[in-house]
Amino acid sequence: MVDGPVVTVRGEAYREVAPEEARFTVTALARDREREPTLTRLAERAAAIRVLLDSYGPTIDRRETGDLRVRPETRRSGERVVAWHGSVLTTVTVSDFTALGELMLRLADQDQVAVAGPWWSLRPDSPAFREARHAAIADALLRAREYAEALQAQVTDLIELADEGGGQPMMARMAFDAGGVESTTPPELELDPQPQSVHAAVRARFAISRPVLS
């Protein structure tokens, strides 16, 4: 139990920092009236994507294949299959943005491939989060001292400190749909990384000396 006056404040910090990662998805697509040709084309297009990604080597931090779909297309009435659709999605993450636009356009230039992204983000262990939390604590202490000064008192002790969390960094996306159209001159695309908004907030209770109210 605290014996004496207490001041409770909220400390906040906002930062805009450069993104550390970019993530995008590339989806191979296939469609045919028969199931076997659909699966064959899907496998071939997925393999072509892998070869292209392999050529970028350490530029790619990680890639994850998931969301494989193969489904029949039927007539509105009945179960007669008129076509088969297949797709397989790969998520790619990079931290070197110099070749990002080139990579995404080269993937989008593949036959029957859809590319979406990039989504900019910070790493979960980014120093930006720690720096924002430290700044929020400093803001809380500054506010407490200002309140104490207005009462002609001083902050003497910390009673409680609670993390009130913060918002997630914003992300943006672009999209490309490829139809396999060949071009003699490879297109160029410059991407401007989107600054990430980092927010931290704390609630703190401080003990202060006896105020002078007269």
Side-chain angles (χ1 to χ4, degrees):
M1 184 174 180
V2 180
D3 183 17
V6 172
V7 60
T8 301
V9 295
R10 176 183 170 89
E12 293 185 274
Y14 295 89
R15 296 287 187 273
E16 272 203 352
V17 298
E20 298 168 341
E21 292 183 333
R23 180 173 53 87
F24 67 89
T25 61
V26 52
T27 306
L29 306 167
R31 181 185 184 277
D32 195 272
R33 294 180 62 181
E34 302 295 332
R35 177 169 50 189
E36 195 64 31
T38 300
L39 297 177
T40 300
R41 292 174 187 174
L42 183 62
E44 291 173 349
R45 289 163 184 165
I49 290 173
R50 293 184 63 85
V51 170
L52 181 53
L53 292 175
D54 286 341
S55 68
Y56 279 79
T59 302
I60 296 175
D61 291 352
R62 64 181 181 272
R63 67 194 198 204
E64 302 155 310
T65 302
D67 199 15
L68 169 63
R69 298 186 181 186
V70 178
R71 64 176 181 84
E73 177 185 339
T74 59
R75 293 191 180 277
R76 292 185 178 180
S77 60
E79 296 184 352
R80 181 185 175 186
V81 176
V82 296
W84 288 87
H85 296 262
S87 65
V88 58
L89 178 144
T90 300
T91 301
V92 182
T93 304
V94 302
S95 56
D96 181 0
F97 305 150
T98 55
L100 177 59
E102 172 193 310
L103 171 58
M104 293 182 68
L105 285 185
R106 288 188 63 187
L107 287 165
D109 196 44
Q110 300 291 305
D111 186 32
Q112 293 299 306
V113 168
V115 178
W119 293 274
W120 309 99
S121 65
L122 298 173
R123 295 189 181 91
D125 60 347
S126 172
F129 296 115
R130 181 177 65 253
E131 292 168 4
R133 290 191 292 267
H134 287 186
I137 294 173
D139 181 56
L141 181 56
L142 176 62
R143 294 188 185 200
R145 285 173 173 165
E146 289 176 347
Y147 284 123
E149 181 181 356
L151 296 169
Q152 300 184 49
Q154 291 183 335
V155 173
T156 59
D157 199 3
L158 172 65
I159 301 171
E160 180 184 15
L161 180 65
D163 187 351
E164 294 196 342
Q168 294 296 320
M170 297 175 60
M171 295 182 284
R173 62 167 292 186
M174 300 172 61
F176 305 90
D177 291 316
V181 178
E182 295 185 0
S183 174
T184 55
T185 303
E188 296 183 359
L189 175 66
E190 292 187 5
L191 301 177
D192 297 320
Q194 183 185 38
Q196 302 298 290
S197 299
V198 181
H199 171 227
V202 297
R203 179 173 53 82
R205 297 175 65 222
F206 294 94
I208 63 173
S209 58
R210 290 291 176 182
V212 178
L213 301 178
S214 59

